[in-house]
Amino acid sequence: MQRLIPTGDPARPVEFTEDAQPVPAPDEALIRVEAFAPNRGETFLLERPKPGLMPGKDVAGLVVQAAADGSGPRVGTRVVGHPPRGGWAEYAAVPTHSLAELPDSLSAVDAAALPLAGITALRLLRTAGSVTGRRLLVTGAAGGVGHYVTELAAAAGAEVTVVTATPSRAERLRALGAAAAVHAVAEARGPFDVVLESTGGADLPVALSKLAPGGTLIWFGQASRTPATLDFFDLLSGPEGAVIRHFHYAGPNADPNAGPTYGHDLATLVRLVHDGRLHPEIGRTADWAKTAETLVDLRERRIRGKAVLTTGVVS
């Protein structure tokens, strides 16, 4: 089969290689990948790839070999999955606990845009607790997580303010339910009960200052790739008693009942899309022969919405 592997070359970060089909573990199904979606974190890993790196965590396709232990979907079932690695290939082995079946109404392209961003959004909101009637600030909201968080939180009754530098994204996030959109964290009019912070650097302390006393900042990313610096004394004149929580979607603090198993959350996301309550946004769909060019565009932030690559005939 064909697989995409890292090159270490920023101008062409991946290339095709011949590889054997993966041999599934007893609790894994073999999926013929029809579509996959790269994530920004994967683009970071490609800059200095470690030996053996096989990217690919968001896939959709068809089960061609069911799990030997009898778990999971049968052969011929359309699925979306979140494997630990290896999804940028014609075939991928995916644990059955990280698969969800797809209805006919949901295409492989739309499904591939769900896993990492959608699971992160669901678990962020669970970590935040009930958001009904609460004021939320979401930084770095232009990406997939920000989009899903905005739509889900607004539907749950939160008053959501989003931070995005792009006017078109601000307009779209308002359409998804954001009460306000600003182009810099300093412009956000608090105080906020919860801040969901993903940029780090200089934005984090400014976002922290927007909290109400006793509020919570959930730190789930550092897109600026710049460490944050906090001043203890600044909090005395602002959100005294604030809580800062570190969040990673696969960690036990994200969802103690799920941890690194994703099938239930994927099924929830699929149901929400099927019911018209969640709307994946696809910024670009291309044949996977264009993966290298797409990754360069992602790195340079020329794609708004998820980029999805297709490996074959997509339903």
Side-chain angles (χ1 to χ4, degrees):
M1 71 169 189
Q2 292 283 307
R3 177 184 301 283
L4 287 162
I5 60 171
T7 65
D9 179 2
R12 189 164 186 81
V14 292
E15 64 183 8
F16 284 100
T17 188
E18 287 284 337
D19 196 8
Q21 286 187 14
V23 177
D27 64 344
E28 292 180 333
L30 186 65
I31 310 303
R32 187 183 74 205
V33 178
E34 295 179 344
F36 64 85
N39 295 290
R40 188 166 300 282
E42 290 170 317
T43 68
F44 293 162
L45 293 176
L46 291 173
E47 293 176 6
R48 294 182 179 178
K50 295 181 180 180
L53 175 66
M54 290 195 298
K57 296 173 73 69
D58 289 5
V59 302
L62 193 72
V63 176
V64 295
Q65 181 179 325
D69 67 359
S71 65
R74 296 176 296 179
V75 170
T77 304
R78 298 177 60 246
V79 293
V80 58
H82 191 54
R85 64 176 190 156
W88 298 1
E90 289 181 290
Y91 295 88
V94 185
T96 56
H97 59 60
S98 295
L99 288 171
E101 297 187 19
L102 294 178
D104 293 339
S105 61
L106 186 55
S107 72
V109 168
D110 284 342
L114 290 173
L116 182 60
I119 293 166
T120 301
L122 284 177
R123 295 184 175 191
L124 272 170
L125 291 173
R126 291 192 193 119
T127 301
S130 174
V131 297
T132 304
R134 304 179 79 191
R135 301 192 70 199
L136 268 66
L137 175 65
V138 183
T139 70
V145 176
H147 154 218
Y148 289 138
V149 161
T150 298
E151 189 167 14
L152 292 169
E159 181 183 331
V160 183
T161 295
V162 296
V163 183
T164 172
T166 310
S168 61
R169 292 303 296 159
E171 182 179 350
R172 176 58 179 156
L173 290 166
R174 286 194 191 95
L176 292 170
V182 296
H183 300 309
V185 179
E187 298 173 5
R189 299 183 64 179
F192 297 96
D193 302 296
V194 177
V195 171
L196 304 179
E197 211 295 295
S198 64
T199 53
D203 281 347
L204 191 149
V206 178
L208 182 62
S209 73
K210 302 291 183 177
L211 275 176
T216 299
L217 182 146
I218 302 173
W219 189 12
F220 71 98
Q222 191 162 289
S224 69
R225 310 183 76 175
T226 304
T229 300
L230 300 178
D231 188 329
F232 173 84
F233 296 102
D234 284 347
L235 301 184
L236 298 179
S237 59
E240 192 166 359
V243 174
I244 301 175
R245 296 191 60 173
H246 176 264
F247 173 95
H248 182 256
Y249 82 104
N253 291 331
D255 193 335
N257 297 318
T261 64
Y262 307 105
H264 179 74
D265 283 345
L266 286 172
T268 296
L269 294 166
V270 168
R271 174 174 53 82
L272 290 171
V273 176
H274 176 71
D275 292 346
R277 298 164 61 191
L278 191 68
H279 300 85
E281 290 190 309
I282 311 300
R284 175 181 298 178
T285 304
D287 186 272
W288 73 327
K290 300 291 186 182
T291 302
E293 294 91 330
T294 302
L295 291 171
V296 171
D297 283 351
L298 273 175
R299 187 181 65 223
E300 297 177 1
R301 302 186 180 186
R302 294 201 294 264
I303 297 175
R304 299 298 175 186
K306 293 291 288 184
V308 178
L309 288 303
T310 59
T311 63
V313 177
V314 177
S315 57

